[in-house]
Amino acid sequence: MLAAFVLSAASVAMLGATHYYSSIKVDNAAREHAERVVANGLEQFADEIGKSSVDQTYWDEAVLYGSNRIDPKWVSDAFGRVFWEIDGFEGSILFDHRDAAVFASARGHDEAPNHYSQVIRAAKPLIASIRDRERKRGRVDVSKLVRGSQLEPITAHAIIRDEDAIFFLGASLVQPDSKAVPADRPASILVILERMDKTVTDQIGGRFLLNRPQLRLGSNPPAMGGGQAVIRDPLGRQIAAFEFDTPMPGTQLSHRLWPALALFALALLAATAWIIRAGRAMAGSLVASEARATHLAFHDQLTGLPNRARLNEGFAQLASSARRTGKQFAVMCIDLDLFKAVNDNFGHLAGDELIRLVASTIQRNCRPDDFLARIGGDEFILLQSDSSVSRASALAERVIAAIAEPVELKVGRAFIGASIGLVIVDGSPIDAQEALRRADLAMYAAKQAGRNGYAFFKPSFDRAVRHRMTMQTHLHDALASGELELVYQPQVDFAGTVIGVEALARWDSAALGRVPPAAFVQVAEETGLIDALGMFTIRRAFEDSGRWPDLRVAINVSAVQLRTGDFVDRLNALAAEVGIDPRRFELEITERVLLGDDPATVAGLNRLRALGFRIVLDDFGTGYSSLGYLQRYPIDKVKIDRTFVARVGIEPQAEAVVVAIVRLAKALGMEVLAEGVETEAQRVCLNVAGCSDVQGYLTGKPVAASEIDALIAGRSPNAQDGGDVGEDRLSA
């Protein structure tokens, strides 16, 4: 019996020791796996940053102004502000052909070149690797680029330590993409920095489902039970560690089984069977957990679709197949129209529901071997295998038609659309990043063309983007140097008496020539310069108005500018500074200002009217206005759009529309003015319809302030002399 007891005790002890050893092995395996995954993730994150600078360095203008010669203003805009304002990177450093730092930017502000002195020293191995690849590439033959060949981007990345901070560094060699001839010397190198702060740490932790991720400087071992992904600098020295709590399935199982081991002395066989079953459960749980983590790493949590990481794999597979078989495939960038309105009106939960329904809608219109991914927000990427222009067009039309159908949400019915950009890939050496960039440009072109449509990529889209960036730079300089001018177009009554003028901005650029107002206003709105442009127009109109104390002055206000929180206060302060009477001024807004019935817009317009400014609704009848809008908003006057005026006297329907607008406005106590009047017949018809106040080439072109003086004095009003009227207003 004693022997049996000893044997049982020994069996239990041996089983316990075996179990303890196994739990340690399982914990170690789980920790090592997590450490490998996180280390690979850090490397991938650094690589993504390294490639982020290619769009700015792989560019003819970058060669001309950032390498052959260093243009401080251009470098500041293209290499400094862009990466902070658009991508949110911490900073950037430009190294010239001697590998000397010649420019530095921190959070969008220019700094001395040695601002990041420790970073510059730590980046030397990174610069050396770029130079080595540059030497192997050899001298650039621009004539080959013109014939269609492409240079391979030369990038590198690293992680370095600067005092108590860890930075991801991404370096890219400045290279031409078309016709710029590089100087006969090494090219400049741009290095961008991303600080590994708590936001980045949490982002990486969320990507890999880590508990308590944190960055620790130095080389100390991790805490008991914790995981550690070692971070090394370019010289291989450990500079920090990315620590996190690792899963401990072995320890958890051990804690559950120790009480049961006490029973093994009485029921060894039963306990053994229980251990086997528990071990199997633990193994299954570990496998399931790993499978779930792998799925989340490559799939979107909201829709279950592949994410950007999985998209790169899908693109690589299709590209490999295209090179092998000679078949083409299509890349489609799908962006939802009016999605923001659904989010704003119904809330983010409704927006999430809409995204899931749209994902299902797109999938129903695809073939099984097509690849659909969601890369963020309301943007999807669709890869169509074995495609052509006709097949891609047909699929795009089906998707657009399906998405345009009303969507029934839990909170109500929503109406949206889709704009799609397409690129056909035929096995040429184009990577996923470039294909997606081109598809995104095509999608933007589809939106510009009126939304709810599709467009194929054209090389001109690239030129348009770069032209827009060039225009932004020159517009910024023009506002600073006073290159813009203000002209005024008379507004007269039926007797020909001048009752007011409309202020219009004009830009004769020394570098770009005469730039149409519609072009530079759009660039201003897209790049954040609209406030400076608008305040320039308002200030100049305020100052010039002193010449005509008996005239009203109309000034256009952009929807973007009106929605800035302090616009009314700044306008009131400027009026007091210049010393004008707000009652003499009309602020013209377009109908899109009213879209959405924004309470902040209503409040802003009411405050402006309370200050004395008159509110005028411009281009009436071409947008979204309704009787409800006119009653709800403080509108003093409506301007009949030139598209109606042009058909007056030609189409009876046009005259009926004008009569209806005039009667509606006067019934609501509003004044009416018709713009774009070019003929005496139009003017007579408008007067018969009840609209006596007009503006257009018939009664006067936009002229300088001095010519308005002459007009008031009774000299030539510079009335119509033929020619193309065009669009002569500024929505600023």
Side-chain angles (χ1 to χ4, degrees):
M1 186 173 178
L2 180 59
F5 175 79
V6 172
L7 181 59
S8 298
S11 299
V12 171
M14 184 176 295
L15 185 60
T18 302
H19 170 69
Y20 178 72
Y21 176 78
S22 298
S23 67
I24 293 177
K25 292 285 289 184
V26 171
D27 289 345
N28 289 340
R31 185 184 67 254
E32 291 170 1
H33 173 76
E35 289 175 344
R36 286 195 301 272
V37 170
V38 174
N40 291 337
L42 291 172
E43 181 68 15
Q44 181 184 6
F45 194 91
D47 181 59
E48 292 172 357
I49 292 176
K51 294 178 180 177
S52 296
S53 60
V54 171
D55 284 346
Q56 292 298 99
T57 58
Y58 188 38
W59 184 16
D60 282 352
E61 283 198 17
V63 172
L64 297 176
Y65 306 119
S67 184
N68 290 358
R69 69 182 181 88
I70 306 299
D71 184 335
K73 180 63 175 63
W74 189 94
V75 168
S76 175
D77 289 336
F79 290 166
R81 290 168 45 207
V82 165
F83 285 110
W84 169 250
E85 295 176 359
I86 296 179
D87 300 313
F89 289 125
E90 173 78 11
S92 59
I93 308 171
L94 183 67
F95 295 84
D96 65 9
H97 64 281
R98 299 185 301 271
D99 296 345
V102 296
F103 169 78
S105 175
R107 295 178 173 268
H109 298 288
D110 294 354
E111 301 288 352
N114 63 350
H115 178 73
Y116 291 110
S117 57
Q118 294 192 35
V119 174
I120 293 173
R121 289 194 295 272
K124 287 183 178 179
L126 195 66
I127 301 298
S129 70
I130 294 284
R131 291 299 183 205
D132 183 58
R133 293 174 61 188
E134 183 185 23
R135 285 190 292 272
K136 292 179 180 178
R137 180 204 65 189
R139 187 172 181 178
V140 176
D141 186 351
V142 179
S143 64
K144 293 182 179 179
L145 297 182
V146 174
R147 289 195 298 269
S149 64
Q150 294 182 334
L151 292 175
E152 179 182 358
I154 297 179
T155 64
H157 62 271
I159 307 176
I160 60 101
R161 177 175 176 177
D162 180 6
E163 296 182 351
D164 294 329
I166 299 296
F167 287 92
F168 291 96
L169 300 186
S172 179
L173 183 71
V174 175
Q175 299 187 97
D177 67 344
S178 180
K179 298 180 181 179
V181 179
D184 189 15
R185 64 188 185 196
S188 297
I189 297 175
L190 178 66
V191 175
I192 58 176
L193 302 81
E194 174 72 308
R195 183 186 298 270
M196 193 174 181
D197 55 15
K198 188 176 186 304
T199 300
V200 174
T201 302
D202 291 343
Q203 179 183 349
I204 296 173
R207 180 182 296 184
F208 298 102
L209 305 178
L210 303 178
N211 291 325
R212 296 197 300 177
Q214 60 179 341
L215 179 69
R216 185 172 53 77
L217 302 178
S219 58
N220 295 326
M224 181 67 68
Q228 181 186 82
V230 173
I231 300 176
R232 300 184 185 278
D233 66 11
L235 298 178
R237 298 172 299 193
Q238 181 175 344
I239 55 176
F242 190 92
E243 296 184 349
F244 50 90
D245 290 349
T246 60
M248 302 183 68
T251 299
Q252 295 172 5
L253 179 62
S254 177
H255 291 164
R256 293 170 56 189
L257 293 182
W258 277 121
L261 289 178
L263 301 176
F264 286 175
L266 301 176
L268 184 58
L269 294 177
T272 302
W274 188 87
I275 291 174
I276 293 174
R277 289 195 302 272
R280 289 176 178 173
M282 180 275 295
S285 175
L286 183 61
V287 171
S289 177
E290 183 175 351
R292 179 173 177 270
T294 302
H295 179 83
L296 291 177
F298 292 99
H299 290 79
D300 171 50
Q301 296 186 37
L302 180 61
T303 62
L305 294 175
N307 59 13
R308 187 182 293 273
R310 180 68 183 88
L311 172 64
N312 291 333
E313 294 183 8
F315 183 92
Q317 292 171 0
L318 283 177
S320 176
S321 175
R323 288 190 294 269
R324 189 171 59 255
T325 63
K327 294 181 179 180
Q328 300 175 327
F329 67 96
V331 179
M332 301 186 183
C333 179
I334 305 171
D335 190 85
L336 302 185
D337 300 328
L338 304 180
F339 174 75
K340 184 178 183 298
V342 176
N343 249 354
D344 293 343
N345 292 331
F346 296 127
H348 291 289
L349 291 180
D352 290 347
E353 181 187 1
L354 179 59
I355 289 294
R356 287 191 292 268
L357 292 174
V358 168
S360 299
T361 299
I362 299 175
Q363 284 180 309
R364 287 196 301 270
N365 286 274
C366 297
R367 298 173 303 184
D369 54 348
D370 292 338
F371 186 97
L372 178 63
R374 177 180 178 237
I375 60 174
D378 59 341
E379 190 170 356
F380 298 85
I381 299 296
L382 177 57
L383 306 181
Q384 184 188 37
S385 61
D386 190 12
S387 183
S388 64
V389 172
S390 59
R391 291 175 184 171
S393 298
L395 178 55
E397 290 171 358
R398 290 199 305 271
V399 170
I400 290 171
I403 293 177
E405 293 291 328
V407 181
E408 295 294 342
L409 304 176
K410 294 179 180 177
V411 295
R413 177 174 292 185
F415 297 88
I416 60 170
S419 297
I420 302 180
L422 301 98
V423 175
I424 301 297
V425 181
D426 56 5
S428 58
I430 176 175
D431 59 15
Q433 181 179 358
E434 176 61 16
L436 294 179
R437 186 186 71 84
R438 294 181 181 181
D440 190 65
L441 288 179
M443 180 273 293
Y444 182 80
K447 283 189 178 290
Q448 292 292 97
R451 301 179 182 270
N452 211 36
Y454 66 91
F456 284 89
F457 172 78
K458 299 177 183 177
S460 60
F461 295 168
D462 262 332
R463 293 192 294 271
V465 169
R466 288 170 184 169
H467 177 70
R468 189 161 60 248
M469 293 183 64
T470 301
M471 187 183 296
Q472 175 189 353
T473 300
H474 289 297
L475 180 58
H476 185 278
D477 294 340
L479 287 169
S481 63
E483 194 175 47
L484 276 78
E485 298 290 341
L486 223 60
V487 296
Y488 299 88
Q489 186 170 30
Q491 298 174 342
V492 304
D493 60 16
F494 188 75
T497 303
V498 179
I499 59 174
V501 293
E502 180 179 1
L504 305 164
R506 291 293 182 267
W507 183 20
D508 288 327
S509 170
L512 305 176
R514 171 159 292 187
V515 183
F520 67 77
V521 170
Q522 180 180 2
V523 169
E525 289 185 332
E526 293 173 351
T527 58
L529 292 175
I530 189 62
D531 187 63
L533 176 59
M535 294 310 292
F536 158 79
T537 304
I538 295 172
R539 174 180 285 276
R540 182 67 59 83
F542 280 1
E543 293 170 348
D544 288 346
S545 68
R547 308 162 73 126
W548 321 301
D550 298 326
L551 297 185
R552 288 179 180 173
V553 180
I555 308 172
N556 295 281
V557 177
S558 164
V560 176
Q561 188 179 19
L562 184 61
R563 291 193 176 103
T564 57
D566 61 344
F567 171 70
V568 177
D569 293 331
R570 289 188 292 120
L571 185 63
N572 189 31
L574 181 59
E577 176 189 340
V578 180
I580 58 94
D581 182 0
R583 292 173 297 181
R584 290 183 49 218
F585 290 86
E586 296 178 341
L587 303 182
E588 296 191 2
I589 60 174
T590 59
E591 294 185 57
R592 71 184 179 118
V593 172
L594 311 183
L595 184 61
D597 198 15
D598 180 18
T601 302
V602 178
L605 293 176
N606 281 322
R607 288 186 61 197
L608 289 171
R609 202 181 191 198
L611 292 174
F613 292 101
R614 292 165 52 82
I615 308 301
V616 178
L617 185 58
D618 198 6
D619 300 335
F620 183 76
T622 62
Y624 302 93
S625 287
S626 66
L627 179 60
Y629 280 142
L630 294 179
Q631 291 177 315
R632 197 155 46 247
Y633 283 84
I635 307 298
D636 296 292
K637 178 193 287 189
V638 296
K639 294 181 73 174
I640 303 175
D641 186 69
R642 66 181 66 246
T643 57
F644 296 119
V645 174
R647 298 196 296 271
V648 168
I650 301 174
E651 300 177 5
Q653 297 90 337
E655 295 185 33
V657 170
V658 170
V659 170
I661 292 175
V662 172
R663 290 180 178 176
L664 172 63
K666 291 188 175 181
L668 294 173
M670 302 175 186
E671 298 178 12
V672 184
L673 181 143
E675 59 183 345
V677 179
E678 301 179 39
T679 67
E680 186 63 32
Q682 291 173 350
R683 184 177 182 181
V684 171
C685 288
L686 288 167
N687 187 63
V688 171
C691 178
S692 59
D693 297 344
V694 298
Q695 173 183 344
Y697 273 35
L698 175 69
T699 55
K701 289 184 177 181
V703 295
S706 59
E707 295 190 47
I708 296 295
D709 297 342
L711 177 61
I712 297 174
R715 296 189 290 276
S716 172
N718 188 23
Q720 91 278 9
D721 57 1
D724 183 17
V725 176
E727 178 66 49
D728 58 5
R729 64 177 299 278
L730 164 64
S731 295

